[in-house]
Amino acid sequence: MPGRLITVEGLDGAGKSTLAAALVDALQARGIDVELLREPGGVLLAERIRALVKDPELTCGPRAEALLYAAARAQLVEETLLPLLRSGRTVLLDRFVDSSLAYQGAGRGLGVEEIATLNAFGTGGLTPDRTLLLRIAPQDGRARLDGRGEAPDRLELAGAEFFARVADAYDELAAADPERFRVLDAGRTPAEVLADALAALHDLLP
Ligand code: TMP
């Protein structure tokens, strides 16, 4: 694929969105034309699914949840990601398949292998060139979320054990694929995290 796909992963409250926005500015300042997208979302169908999966008033079992995330992802890949990558663009994506492996595969207990198979079907096997894992202890992520003072969405209502399983799964995914993953310490200042992220991408970008 001519373009590069960079994903940002981590627990809720790790600071992914802050890092992604800062990275876009930093890369554009270096003359790299980068497109920022988020999951679930990025295209109309996926943004609608995002509203459904996050709604605390809706009952949504683990299997339906996994399928909804996978459906949103499939549409994003087909409608936007593949055309951008084929045209040589660099894409920065806030969450991708690893989120489903960690949250639905491990967190909801559906099985990481099963969710990988589901998503291979949905994405046609598209794999990021680099994944930045913003690592934070689950209790610190939770404290940051609470500090924002916003009403928790359906996923954020899950308990501490759920987020501990998600965190462990992220660590295991990163350990299993050190070529693709770079683990960043989310406890550092935003400027330090940005510098770490740029260093973790230097071999990949012009
Ligand atoms: P966020 O983009 O605001 O972090 O919200 C997305 C929420 O959805 C977050 O709690 C993580 C969760 N999620 C999954 O459980 N599985 C997925 O595949 C994705 C993309 C997100």
Side-chain angles (χ1 to χ4, degrees):
M1 201 66 78
R4 291 274 173 262
L5 176 59
I6 300 160
T7 58
V8 185
E9 293 283 352
L11 291 175
D12 300 81
K16 287 177 296 81
S17 307
T18 305
L19 171 63
L23 256 181
V24 168
D25 290 345
L27 294 178
Q28 281 174 347
R30 286 165 173 73
I32 299 167
D33 191 14
V34 53
E35 186 82 22
L36 175 62
L37 295 167
R38 70 168 178 185
E39 270 224 84
V43 291
L44 196 52
L45 178 72
E47 291 291 342
R48 297 248 182 109
I49 292 175
R50 180 185 180 88
L52 290 175
V53 282
K54 289 191 136 202
D55 189 340
E57 299 200 345
L58 296 179
T59 301
C60 181
R63 286 169 192 272
E65 185 180 281
L67 289 162
L68 285 169
Y69 281 115
R73 181 167 299 129
Q75 188 60 31
L76 176 71
V77 168
E78 182 180 317
E79 192 177 327
T80 299
L81 262 186
L82 285 179
L84 284 171
L85 295 172
R86 285 193 183 118
S87 73
R89 292 287 291 274
T90 298
V91 179
L92 186 63
L93 185 49
D94 186 341
R95 296 193 183 279
F96 193 50
V97 173
D98 297 303
S99 281
S100 279
L101 301 181
Y103 281 76
Q104 282 67 53
R108 299 294 193 210
L110 292 173
V112 172
E113 285 301 318
E114 285 79 353
I115 299 300
T117 303
L118 172 67
N119 278 275
F121 172 75
T123 65
L126 181 66
T127 306
D129 296 287
R130 182 70 31 91
T131 296
L132 305 175
L133 172 58
L134 262 182
R135 190 169 191 280
I136 191 165
Q139 63 274 20
D140 296 344
R142 165 64 56 188
R144 284 191 189 176
L145 284 185
D146 292 345
R148 286 180 198 165
E150 294 166 9
D153 64 39
R154 198 179 54 80
L155 272 289
E156 290 163 359
L157 287 170
E161 285 170 13
F162 172 85
F163 287 103
R165 287 195 296 276
V166 174
D168 287 348
Y170 270 135
D171 287 346
E172 285 167 23
L173 291 169
D177 193 354
E179 272 290 298
R180 172 162 73 89
F181 274 90
R182 297 290 182 276
V183 181
L184 310 179
D185 178 357
R188 285 155 61 81
T189 66
E192 288 170 334
V193 175
L194 174 61
D196 293 345
L198 288 169
L201 296 175
H202 85 276
D203 61 319
L204 201 69
L205 298 169

